[in-house]
Amino acid sequence: MTDSAAPPVFRLAYVPGATPAKWVRIWNERFPATPLELVPVEAHEAQELLRSGGADAALLRLPVDRDVFSAIPLYTETTVAVVPKDHLITAADEVSLEDLADEVVLHPLDDVFGWERPPGEEAFERPATTGDAVELVAAGIGVLVVPQSLARLHHRRDLTYRTVADGPRSEVALAWPQEATTDLVDDFIGVVRGRTANSTRGRRAAAPEQKPAPARTARKPPQAGKGNPQGGGRGGRGGRGATPGGKGGAPRRGGRPKRRG
């Protein structure tokens, strides 16, 4: 018969540009009996997915609703401007928002910065996605300001990017519903926080190495005739510690033993 009970699965959602590979590898090494399922999700849908129970936790971009979710900030992304390779701003290693003032800066509907209006000139219409905006940059219609991870995700040979020194920042975090801080979530928190496998804070962490108990010296059995109340001397007679009266008999009363006639 086969066991019909399926092993528990930890479902980790991640938004475009987030890179869970390192933590997935550590999880698989540490918890091989618990599969980790990756759930790709669009940035604007990540919180709703957690609310509905579609994932146990998510790698997403802040901010989140702190009344509903717990979150651990992981890292802050570099902001870049995506431009054609022959664009004038490629002459510098980094640019400022002021340098983009005369540019058409595209503002996709899935923008992750949350700004009301990016710098520069406003485009005729907002592209639906970041991917669509990248296509417009390649067509020479404008430039795009995004986290560096998204620029790499939508890489094209005819495009490049430059760091925007004073641009808005996107912070990636691990988030999960406060009311659903399960054991598996706690295990993954330990992974992203760098706890070792032997950490005492981990629920299923390996037990600390036990020190061997001090060896006990076994007592030697008492030899006959030497402190053994049950045995006599040689042949069971007269040894030290033997019962008075010779052959194990009761002790005689009185003083000196009577002489035989």
Side-chain angles (χ1 to χ4, degrees):
M1 293 180 61
T2 59
D3 187 2
S4 58
V9 176
F10 179 67
R11 297 163 300 169
L12 177 67
Y14 66 101
V15 300
T19 53
K22 171 186 175 181
W23 296 307
V24 171
R25 175 179 56 78
I26 296 174
W27 176 277
N28 291 335
E29 292 173 354
R30 193 169 297 177
F31 306 109
T34 305
L36 189 153
E37 179 183 337
L38 289 174
V39 183
V41 61
E42 295 298 326
H44 65 281
E45 298 174 342
Q47 294 187 53
E48 185 57 37
L49 181 70
L50 290 177
R51 290 177 193 269
S52 65
D56 299 296
L59 296 175
L60 46 66
R61 292 184 174 86
L62 296 177
V64 296
D65 185 349
R66 291 288 185 162
D67 292 332
V68 178
F69 302 105
S70 296
I72 300 174
L74 300 176
Y75 57 90
T76 300
E77 297 188 278
T78 300
T79 300
V80 300
V82 181
V83 296
K85 281 190 172 181
D86 58 355
H87 197 280
L88 289 176
I89 72 171
T90 60
D93 292 333
E94 67 178 28
V95 297
S96 67
L97 293 177
E98 187 178 355
D99 294 327
L100 304 178
D102 296 331
E103 302 289 340
V104 174
V105 180
L106 301 168
H107 190 196
L109 294 175
D110 63 355
D111 163 60
V112 299
F113 293 130
W115 49 17
E116 293 184 3
R117 186 178 182 278
E121 298 181 11
E122 189 174 0
F124 178 72
E125 62 179 355
R126 296 182 63 179
T129 67
T130 298
D132 293 336
V134 170
E135 296 297 325
L136 294 176
V137 173
I141 294 176
V143 301
L144 176 65
V145 179
V146 290
Q148 186 175 6
S149 64
L150 291 180
R152 290 175 173 173
L153 180 65
H154 298 285
H155 171 72
R156 288 176 54 116
R157 291 185 177 182
D158 54 346
L159 300 180
T160 188
Y161 55 82
R162 291 293 184 269
T163 300
V164 181
D166 58 348
R169 292 290 183 263
S170 171
E171 195 169 17
V172 175
L174 173 69
W176 66 95
Q178 293 179 7
E179 296 182 355
T181 308
T182 64
D183 290 334
L184 294 181
V185 169
D186 187 63
D187 286 336
F188 195 76
I189 292 171
V191 169
V192 299
R193 281 185 164 170
R195 297 179 198 161
T196 65
N198 291 328
S199 170
T200 56
R201 294 185 63 185
R203 176 179 62 88
R204 291 180 291 176
E209 182 179 354
Q210 298 292 330
K211 294 183 179 180
R216 295 183 178 180
T217 303
R219 295 181 180 179
K220 294 181 180 180
Q223 297 179 0
K226 293 186 178 182
N228 183 1
Q230 301 299 325
R234 296 180 181 179
R237 296 185 182 183
R240 285 183 293 176
T243 304
K247 300 179 181 180
R252 294 177 180 176
R253 297 180 180 178
R256 298 179 180 177
K258 296 180 180 181
R259 295 182 179 179
R260 294 182 181 180

